[in-house]
Amino acid sequence: NAGVMQNPRHLVRRRGQEARLRCSPMKGHSHVYWYRQLPEEGLKFMVYLQKENIIDESGMPKERFSAEFPKEGPSILRIQQVVRGDSAAYFCASSLSPGTRNTIYFGEGSWLTVV
Amino acid sequence: EDQVTQSPEALRLQEGESSSLNCSYTVSGLRGLFWYRQDPGKGPEFLFTLYSAGEEKEKERLKATLTKKESFLHITAPKPEDSATYLCAVNTGTASKLTFGTGTRLQVTL
């Protein structure tokens, strides 16, 4: 499968714990995006990264959330000290380049449940 | 602020009963309108991108059209396997940021 790979698919965390979500983009893609889908809401943009750079983090909550895309390895979305309101589906997407004529492909998502 | 509104929220069709889904948008400068299909528990699956008013694209039983204020996803003679949530999104700036509507949940019955 050469698509966008996310893991874990499902994650349960207790309040106050940390959650780490991983994303490997499609082969050949170097642009990664993270979106969040809250229950009964639409997908919301969080952050856009290229290798070793955060390009646009305008959708990221100011506290507890961080993202990285290292030179080697997957992109990581990290949520510290999780709260119940963080329960959502987190989708990673990738594209070949940032141009508007390039399709953004999504992964299958990571479902975070905070108990 | 960019806004995307999809209607109806839910639609139930019988197999073979054609219909259209609507996506209306209010944006500062459209650079692309995207349609995705999402099945329960899965990620959005890309269907179409439209860039300018008057553009149309087709794929099997689906046809997407675009005007200056809205887009339609026409479904011709749907089958039960077309049941899914259909998402519309707009890109008005960098390719990074898509603004999504809340989707139309389509159910096609025998």
Side-chain angles (χ1 to χ4, degrees):
Chain A
N1 187 345
V4 179
M5 303 301 292
Q6 290 188 246
N7 68 83
R9 290 294 318 280
H10 298 276
L11 182 64
V12 179
R13 285 287 179 266
R14 295 186 184 277
R15 282 177 293 170
Q17 291 185 320
E18 178 179 287
R20 283 190 181 225
L21 310 178
R22 290 176 290 277
C23 169
S24 296
M26 283 182 73
K27 189 174 181 179
H29 288 191
S30 59
H31 301 266
V32 166
Y33 318 86
W34 286 93
Y35 285 77
R36 178 165 67 173
Q37 189 171 40
L38 292 165
E40 306 305 322
E41 292 189 22
L43 282 151
K44 303 287 186 190
F45 168 80
M46 298 181 75
V47 62
Y48 161 38
L49 310 105
Q50 293 179 26
K51 287 281 187 181
E52 300 183 282
N53 283 302
I54 296 174
I55 307 302
D56 182 344
E57 57 181 346
S58 58
M60 286 278 271
K62 298 300 179 191
E63 297 178 349
R64 303 187 297 107
F65 285 73
S66 62
E68 63 176 5
F69 190 17
K71 188 176 180 180
E72 301 290 337
S75 175
I76 306 283
L77 180 67
R78 182 183 179 202
I79 311 172
Q80 295 179 289
Q81 298 176 322
V82 296
V83 300
R84 289 226 170 102
D86 297 331
S87 295
Y90 293 83
F91 290 97
C92 174
S94 71
S95 68
L96 190 60
S97 75
T100 55
R101 297 266 166 175
N102 284 282
T103 300
I104 298 175
Y105 295 94
F106 284 81
E108 296 286 71
S110 290
W111 266 257
L112 171 66
T113 301
V114 179
V115 297
Chain B
E1 185 178 321
D2 299 336
Q3 286 194 326
V4 178
T5 303
Q6 292 188 245
S7 62
E9 286 187 17
L11 180 62
R12 185 173 175 144
L13 300 173
Q14 288 197 316
E15 186 175 13
E17 181 186 0
S18 301
S19 188
S20 297
L21 312 183
N22 177 263
C23 171
S24 61
Y25 58 90
T26 306
V27 299
S28 54
L30 184 70
R31 299 182 70 179
L33 185 139
F34 297 75
W35 282 98
Y36 287 86
R37 168 192 170 131
Q38 187 175 26
D39 293 294
K42 299 289 184 69
E45 175 189 344
F46 172 75
L47 294 174
F48 305 107
T49 311
L50 302 167
Y51 295 104
S52 55
E55 190 174 358
E56 298 182 353
K57 288 192 177 172
E58 285 187 71
K59 179 182 178 180
E60 297 180 355
R61 295 178 292 282
L62 300 177
K63 178 179 176 180
T65 62
L66 181 65
T67 72
K68 288 186 177 179
K69 292 184 178 180
E70 57 192 348
S71 176
F72 291 94
L73 185 65
H74 307 277
I75 303 177
T76 302
K79 298 182 178 181
E81 53 262 41
D82 295 323
S83 298
T85 296
Y86 290 85
L87 302 172
C88 171
V90 297
N91 172 8
T92 60
T94 63
S96 63
K97 204 179 297 184
L98 295 180
T99 300
F100 279 86
T102 52
T104 293
R105 288 191 310 278
L106 174 66
Q107 184 180 11
V108 182
T109 59
L110 292 170

